[in-house]
Amino acid sequence: MEIFRKISKFTKLTSEARTVFFLSVLLLPTFALLLKFRGFSVARKLLNFEQSAEVVRPFEGDLRRALEIARIVDLAAKHGFYEGSCLKRSLTLAWLL
């Protein structure tokens, strides 16, 4: 009956949240393979990370949305087919933001 409870919870998510969940399930192992075969520097370039000394404060709505996406990435890691380390979860989150 546990599976029915999980399905019920999943169907209560918004369509955007379900999309983020499925993207996370796909991106977590993708970043794992990228890191394993190409390294962090390639992953960083792919995400277009640039070091900046400037600190930008996000709007409250942006922060709330980022926290929600982070929660969904964590759920995808826990309930998907690939758990992923903190780094892989962070790269997935950065890609989705």
Side-chain angles (χ1 to χ4, degrees), residues 24-54:
S24 299
V25 167
L26 296 173
L27 286 171
L28 283 164
T30 301
F31 278 113
L33 292 171
L34 179 67
L35 289 169
K36 182 173 184 163
F37 294 110
R38 301 294 292 176
F40 180 71
S41 61
V42 173
R44 193 175 74 163
K45 286 178 187 174
L46 178 69
L47 292 170
N48 199 20
F49 283 154
E50 295 179 11
Q51 292 182 356
S52 173
E54 184 180 334

Side-chain angles (χ1 to χ4, degrees), residues 53-81:
E54 184 180 334
V55 176
V56 179
R57 290 192 56 86
F59 293 110
E60 183 66 30
D62 293 340
L63 182 59
R64 196 172 303 122
R65 184 171 183 275
L67 290 171
E68 179 66 16
I69 292 172
R71 187 183 70 83
I72 294 169
V73 169
D74 192 50
L75 287 172
K78 290 179 181 175
H79 300 287
F81 58 87

